[in-house]
Amino acid sequence: HLLLLFRRRRPVPLGPIPALHSLSMALISATIFVGILSSAAAEIRDTRWFWRRSKTPFQWLLCFPIGTRPTGRVFFWSYVFYLSRFLHMLRTFFTVLQHRRLSFFQLFNHSILLCISFLWLEFSQSFQVLAILSTTLVYSIVYGYRFWTAIGLPSACCPFVVNCQILLLGSNVVCHFGVLLLHFFKGGCNGIGAWVFNSVLNA
């Protein structure tokens, strides 16, 4: 039955499902953003005595001290972000069901985000806090915009989603250089092997 469904010539009517998906992703992304921001601020306040001689708070966000374990409030929100990637991947199925063109980049991007967020947790990778903050901020805006247009409200005159993705990519590239510099000049960053692997995937 599933094979026959995909062989249909006409797109499968999804009704309000894509709009509801966009709304839920926007709300979840905003929740994760607020949660990890407050958790990171509390973590910096409570553990700064341990690393304040070698790092500033911003440097801690980029570069976890060697030996950091994936436990505590920050990694709780990192795990929530990882779980949200499964919900995010539903857009791929919506594209297929609606017989829209699914590019290799879209499929690859949705897949590697799941892999990357898993490695963040598994290896307590540095940079993940800033990456989650920037990603969830952009996603809350992008999915909010998609919900806005899905319910029939006017769209932006410029390629809004693409511009947001370019902005996210640019900020990530700058932060990656920061991680690299801190790793070599500030005594090393935790999970640097996973960071290298993820950087190759993102290249």
Side-chain angles (χ1 to χ4, degrees):
H1 294 290
L2 186 62
L3 184 61
L4 291 175
L5 182 66
F6 282 104
R7 284 182 176 177
R8 289 179 57 176
R9 292 184 178 180
R10 290 184 297 178
V12 177
L14 298 177
I17 294 177
L20 292 175
H21 175 262
S22 295
L23 178 61
S24 62
M25 281 300 302
L27 294 175
I28 290 171
S29 297
T31 302
I32 295 173
F33 176 83
V34 173
I36 198 168
L37 180 64
S38 59
S39 295
E43 192 74 16
I44 289 172
R45 183 186 64 245
D46 294 345
T47 63
R48 192 174 180 181
W49 61 271
F50 178 70
W51 45 262
R52 64 182 177 182
R53 291 185 178 180
S54 59
K55 286 182 173 67
T56 65
F58 182 73
Q59 289 173 344
W60 180 87
L61 291 172
L62 280 174
C63 179
F64 286 154
I66 298 294
T68 300
R69 299 179 62 83
T71 58
R73 49 203 158 195
V74 169
F75 289 98
F76 166 79
W77 287 107
S78 182
Y79 182 66
V80 174
F81 178 81
Y82 165 70
L83 294 179
S84 72
R85 297 306 86 204
F86 291 96
L87 182 61
H88 176 251
M89 290 180 68
L90 286 178
R91 277 192 59 82
T92 303
F93 295 100
F94 295 159
T95 302
V96 173
L97 290 173
Q98 292 176 328
H99 285 208
R100 294 179 181 173
R101 183 180 178 183
L102 180 65
S103 66
F104 173 77
F105 172 77
Q106 288 175 307
L107 184 61
F108 182 72
N109 183 53
H110 290 179
S111 301
I112 64 169
L113 276 174
L114 185 64
C115 176
I116 287 172
S117 55
F118 172 78
L119 292 176
W120 285 348
L121 283 167
E122 184 68 17
F123 297 99
S124 306
Q125 184 193 310
S126 297
F127 172 61
Q128 65 176 283
V129 175
L130 284 180
I132 293 173
L133 283 171
S134 58
T135 301
T136 51
L137 177 61
V138 169
Y139 276 19
S140 62
I141 296 171
V142 166
Y143 277 103
Y145 171 76
R146 283 172 172 162
F147 173 73
W148 174 276
T149 56
I151 61 176
L153 295 173
S155 59
C157 58
C158 59
F160 182 79
V161 174
V162 174
N163 288 340
C164 288
Q165 291 172 337
I166 292 173
L167 182 63
L168 177 61
L169 177 62
S171 66
N172 283 343
V173 169
V174 172
C175 289
H176 276 298
F177 277 110
V179 173
L180 194 61
L181 291 174
L182 289 172
H183 178 69
F184 286 109
F185 296 105
K186 287 288 185 177
C189 299
N190 200 70
I192 196 65
W195 174 84
V196 170
F197 181 75
N198 285 339
S199 298
V200 172
L201 284 180
N202 282 311

